[in-house]
Amino acid sequence: MTTASALRSTIDVPALLAALPARISDIPALAAARDPQHVALIEDARRLTNAQLMEAVDAAAALLREWGVRGGDRVMIVAENSIAQIVLLFATARLDAWALVSNARLSAAELDAIRAHAKPRVTAYMVESSVDASQHAERHQAREAPGMTPDIGAWSYVVDDSAQAQAESIEAASERQCAALIYTTGTTGAPKGVMLSHRNLLFIATVSSRLRQVRPDDVVYAVLPISHVYGFASVCLGSLHAGATLRLAPRFAPEAVRRALADERVSIFQGVPAMHAKLLEHLQTHGHAWHAPHLRFVYSGGSPLDAVLKAHVESVYGLPLHNGYGMTESSPTVSQTMLDAPRADCSVGEVIPGVEVRFVELDGADAAPGEIGELWVRGPNVMLGYYRNPEQTRAAVTEDGWLKTGDLARQDADGALHIVGRSKDLIIRSGFNVYPAEVEHVLNAHPQVVQSAVIGRAVEGNEEVIAFVELAAHATVTPVELAAWCAERLAPYKRPAEVKVLAALPAASTGKILKHRLRELL
């Protein structure tokens, strides 16, 4: 039994909501007033203090205004994690425009589909820090942006002054005004633009940084993409709001993480399970000793955490590996394990203060306590809706504000939440429910497996279980041996009919495995 968190009970939600700034663009202004010389952002090549960040945001907002950006316009920021990207998202918010954060690593087709749907007034490309951004800029015939003081790195831009890039209405209230438009890595059809309000983002930034007890002397390693809601709200906004320093990394590279942890006073490292697995593999392959003298908080999120990886990480890092759950539509955090009450199991922790949950059965009735149901969420973190798609918004959010997550979950008597799987990923084999995560945990426990992904394949009148695995360097295990490993540990109906080895599992820039790509392979 895990001890209850005292920290969680210190958060007074009504008081916290009343004290939130009106706009996310107030964060740099508040930081500059509080401690102008404190270093806010670090890149490989440059750093900005709070005062310089504020100055850069002012300069970028003036440029955007000059190019015709006004409240309700979309500004598309094509980037990997960088100072210029953060400056532009605050500058956009300053004008009451919407920051459309896009990962530069999207394909041309994916990026163009988002651009065509959102119709941004300005598209900005962070060309200095991202080769992919400069390729998109070249394709769209972008112009180089004028130099600024302080220097934030080279970037380029395209202006659309046609009637298509029409501004949306502006709302004075922070819970109604859209701050960010984030397109989900949709598994089917057209991309969905999630509209998140200033209050959505500021609520999560404040609650998550309080639960992590982020302080001004923290250095946060920011490798989760800021174009993804977790990197945006929790890592970027949360850390800056708490006065910490962000150490920006455009991409996950195990050796860069190892050096930053050893030499750059990094105290907080948040990643997806695959990042921790690959860092451990790197240390082992190259014979590096673990050295992270300032590290105090390590987190895993974005995809299921398995017990073997958790135990391995904790034994090497010498710290609890915290876990959590969220989705773009909930800005993202719904639950997390508490700093003062780490868990031995792989639960995604307690529901954060201010958020309510329900577990709903297929027939719409609430599931019995402790039973599995679809997780519904309500609170100040639930999105405004999907951009230009009222039908999908109505399907996802009920009239009384419940967001239907599409995830199957249950809750322990002590409040701990367990995610069992996506309702659409559930495999029904001979009438039995097979949750892919359960099979993945068994495969990931094999010493030569880095990560795995399990999906269902339709066969006559039934479904069978298919497993894809990514193996460690120099692995010798065969698919037949992995099938035998599963046979010893799983009921017959859960065992993979086939195990396929891939050099690398298809993943989003966050490290989240893209199962729809695996379905296409089948």
Side-chain angles (χ1 to χ4, degrees), residues 439-515:
V439 185
E440 290 158 2
H441 290 336
V442 168
L443 284 163
N444 294 346
H446 191 286
Q448 295 182 32
V449 172
V450 175
Q451 55 179 350
S452 64
V454 168
I455 61 174
R457 175 166 70 188
V459 287
E460 278 178 54
N462 208 339
E463 264 192 299
E464 59 186 10
V465 179
I466 306 294
F468 292 85
V469 294
E470 183 180 322
L471 299 178
H474 317 305
T476 54
V477 70
T478 64
V480 173
E481 288 164 339
L482 287 173
W485 169 272
C486 290
E488 287 167 23
R489 293 163 177 82
L490 290 169
Y493 69 89
K494 296 179 186 175
R495 294 173 192 163
E498 199 177 341
V499 177
K500 293 173 176 283
V501 175
L502 296 181
L505 296 181
S509 54
T510 55
K512 180 180 170 183
I513 295 164
L514 299 172
K515 289 194 172 179

Side-chain angles (χ1 to χ4, degrees), residues 23 96 98 168-178 198 384:
R23 298 292 192 251
D96 264 341
W98 306 7
E168 301 294 341
S169 58
I170 301 172
E171 304 273 356
S174 67
E175 68 272 21
R176 296 299 318 150
Q177 174 64 22
C178 181
H198 288 271
L384 294 170

Side-chain angles (χ1 to χ4, degrees), residues 261-336:
L261 292 173
D263 306 332
E264 296 194 43
R265 307 183 67 86
V266 168
S267 55
I268 296 179
F269 172 38
Q270 291 148 285
V272 293
M275 289 178 182
H276 297 292
K278 287 176 177 177
L279 180 58
L280 293 176
E281 189 200 1
H282 176 78
L283 294 173
Q284 200 176 345
T285 307
H286 296 273
H288 291 303
W290 174 255
H291 184 58
H294 297 276
L295 192 65
R296 68 169 186 85
F297 181 86
V298 194
Y299 176 93
S300 171
S303 45
L305 174 64
D306 67 76
V308 174
L309 177 64
K310 179 176 158 70
H312 190 188
V313 167
E314 291 179 342
S315 71
V316 174
Y317 293 9
L319 289 166
L321 179 61
H322 286 280
N323 193 15
Y325 164 78
M327 59 193 302
T328 309
E329 290 85 342
S330 58
S331 310
T333 315
V334 171
S335 68
Q336 63 185 78

Side-chain angles (χ1 to χ4, degrees), residues 197-213:
S197 72
H198 288 271
R199 189 172 85 154
N200 287 154
L201 295 164
L202 287 161
F203 170 71
I204 292 300
T206 308
V207 171
S208 65
S209 59
R210 282 218 199 153
L211 292 175
R212 292 198 307 274
Q213 297 207 300

Side-chain angles (χ1 to χ4, degrees), residues 27-100:
I27 290 176
L30 292 165
R34 204 168 47 225
D35 187 352
Q37 294 317 307
H38 179 80
V39 175
L41 304 174
I42 300 175
E43 265 179 358
D44 289 346
R46 59 176 61 79
R47 50 184 59 205
L48 289 191
T49 63
N50 285 332
Q52 289 172 317
L53 173 56
M54 185 63 200
E55 200 184 328
V57 169
D58 286 343
L63 274 179
L64 292 175
R65 197 181 287 112
E66 202 178 300
W67 297 335
V69 174
R70 55 197 185 282
D73 278 332
R74 277 77 56 217
V75 174
M76 186 171 186
I77 303 164
V78 180
E80 293 176 67
N81 291 2
S82 55
I83 286 176
Q85 171 196 38
I86 292 174
V87 166
L88 277 163
L89 71 87
F90 283 131
T92 300
R94 166 77 59 79
L95 303 177
D96 264 341
W98 306 7
L100 196 186

Side-chain angles (χ1 to χ4, degrees), residues 245-269:
T245 299
L246 275 187
R247 169 61 171 102
L248 297 161
R251 294 193 181 190
F252 174 76
E255 179 57 15
V257 179
R258 184 189 75 78
R259 284 203 306 264
L261 292 173
D263 306 332
E264 296 194 43
R265 307 183 67 86
V266 168
S267 55
I268 296 179
F269 172 38

